[in-house]
Amino acid sequence: MTFHKLANFAATCAMVALMGSAAAAAEVTLKLGHLANEENIWHKAALKFAEEAAALTEGRVAVEIYPNESLGKEIDVINGMQLGTADMTITGESLQNWAPRAALLALPYAYKSLAHMDEVASGEIGQQIEAEIVDKAGIRPLTYFARGPRNLSANREITKPEDLNGFKLRVPNVPIFVSAWQAIGANPTPMAFSEVFTSLQNGTIEGQENPLALFKSGGFYEVQKVVNKTEHVRSWIYLTISERSWGKLSEADQAALLEAAKRTQAYERELFLTDETALVADLEGRGVTFVEVDQAAFAAKARDAVIGSVAEELRPMVEQIFNN
């Protein structure tokens, strides 16, 4: 274990100990599990939320953070939230398995910029998505975080759709991602995040697609040396709490958690903007090459598949986003 990792481990142990003592004194303890590691800004945002929640509820609510899928894989944690064995997570388009509108969080090639994405996420469409997640999944979004655009990593340059024919590609368990990559020409395989590194290492898959933050935190730069700048998905992700856990809180504590979430969103956005610039420099220093691609060609191949992958009643909304 390197000194840097050892220091991170020690800091995490100290934080867990502090959370444990805070939880012992709290009236309500919420378990928040997520898939990122301790260096990722989602984890830093989760710690910020825990800190704000404790302060704003005067210690009545303690939030325990479980990074690295230590509370379970993303879908397992969502199931746990519905069953009452987990309370909170950071999740996004995976919620479409329950609430179809959650597919709109991560529409390949639909959001042209961070500002465009913010406009949708915080507007009427975003409100409709959140309401359906509460209603169909039993999970309540408290706020959202921007995600860096997803890029395609490989060990070769892929600059146009023709370069992808039969390319074995890991995708998360998100139907719209599978459909889009099939339309572009790849052979997408849904797989848990925790299995990606080994699968890249042993050649089960040839590449993966993720924001740079997860590319780095997953250590994929050790086995993938080319990031092809497809920027195919700009998306957001929610900080969520189960309706079961939400219903057990007083109105005052619910209001406090919403304020904590608002503060956390502002904190995370500042980290996010700084992080995106730093990530490129960091990864280049680790031997990763960034390659420009024909994004318009990828988008043209994907568009009909993306629109066709959402529920029929959502297609006008998707077309509206594409055309905005």
Side-chain angles (χ1 to χ4, degrees):
M1 186 179 283
T2 65
F3 175 79
H4 182 58
K5 287 183 177 176
L6 195 60
N8 274 338
F9 178 73
T12 300
C13 288
M15 181 59 69
V16 168
L18 283 171
M19 289 191 304
S21 59
E27 294 174 11
V28 176
T29 301
L30 302 173
K31 293 181 178 179
L32 192 167
H34 65 80
L35 61 79
N37 73 5
E38 292 88 345
E39 295 179 14
N40 191 280
I41 61 173
W42 293 356
H43 183 66
K44 294 173 185 175
L47 293 175
K48 172 70 169 175
F49 176 76
E51 178 187 313
E52 293 287 355
L56 290 165
T57 62
E58 298 177 336
R60 291 186 302 276
V61 177
V63 181
E64 295 180 345
I65 314 299
Y66 296 84
N68 292 309
E69 294 185 335
S70 56
L71 207 58
K73 293 182 172 67
E74 184 178 5
I75 297 296
D76 296 332
V77 176
I78 293 170
N79 286 329
M81 289 165 69
Q82 293 164 334
L83 293 169
T85 57
D87 303 290
M88 299 187 67
T89 194
I90 298 170
T91 186
E93 60 274 5
S94 294
L95 289 166
Q96 70 185 276
N97 292 295
W98 294 269
R101 277 179 171 77
L104 305 183
L105 269 69
L107 292 170
Y109 287 114
Y111 300 107
K112 299 164 187 65
S113 65
L114 183 59
H116 181 208
M117 189 209 75
D118 273 335
E119 183 184 323
V120 175
S122 61
E124 185 182 341
I125 290 175
Q127 290 166 10
Q128 289 180 31
I129 296 169
E130 292 179 24
E132 187 178 67
I133 292 169
V134 172
D135 183 46
K136 300 284 181 64
I139 288 170
R140 177 175 294 269
L142 296 177
T143 192
Y144 75 89
F145 304 146
R147 303 178 73 176
R150 298 179 82 93
N151 288 298
L152 172 65
S153 74
N155 279 315
R156 59 184 172 90
E157 293 189 6
I158 296 170
T159 61
K160 56 189 185 300
E162 292 74 26
D163 296 337
L164 267 178
N165 288 337
F167 183 83
K168 290 182 290 185
L169 168 68
R170 179 269 176 179
V171 293
N173 187 24
V174 178
I176 201 167
F177 283 19
V178 175
S179 298
W181 282 111
Q182 285 174 337
I184 295 170
N187 178 17
T189 302
M191 181 185 293
F193 183 80
S194 57
E195 297 168 15
V196 176
F197 184 92
T198 304
S199 298
L200 289 169
Q201 200 171 36
N202 64 27
T204 305
I205 52 175
E206 298 173 86
Q208 63 83 51
E209 48 80 62
N210 259 307
L212 294 180
L214 288 180
F215 179 81
K216 181 189 172 185
S217 68
F220 301 152
Y221 55 84
E222 294 179 20
V223 287
Q224 298 261 276
K225 291 302 182 185
V226 179
V227 170
N228 299 286
K229 293 175 65 177
T230 47
E231 296 185 343
H232 52 280
V233 176
R234 294 181 186 277
S235 63
W236 68 94
I237 196 157
Y238 290 115
L239 173 65
T240 65
I241 185 169
S242 77
E243 279 293 273
R244 280 170 171 256
S245 304
W246 183 252
K248 293 175 184 175
L249 298 172
S250 67
E251 285 187 16
D253 287 347
Q254 288 178 349
L257 258 57
L258 287 171
E259 176 60 26
K262 182 180 175 182
R263 295 181 186 183
T264 301
Q265 183 187 46
Y267 171 81
E268 193 276 344
R269 178 59 62 92
E270 190 176 325
L271 287 181
F272 167 77
L273 293 173
T274 303
D275 201 42
E276 284 299 294
T277 303
L279 279 165
V280 174
D282 180 277
L283 290 167
E284 285 178 336
R286 297 172 189 269
V288 175
T289 301
F290 287 81
V291 175
E292 298 293 335
V293 312
D294 186 350
Q295 292 185 3
F298 281 86
K301 284 267 190 181
R303 179 180 169 131
D304 287 349
V306 170
I307 294 172
S309 292
V310 300
E312 195 169 341
E313 64 270 19
L314 298 182
R315 288 173 194 170
M317 199 180 293
V318 174
E319 289 182 357
Q320 177 189 335
I321 294 169
F322 264 106
N323 296 332
N324 193 334

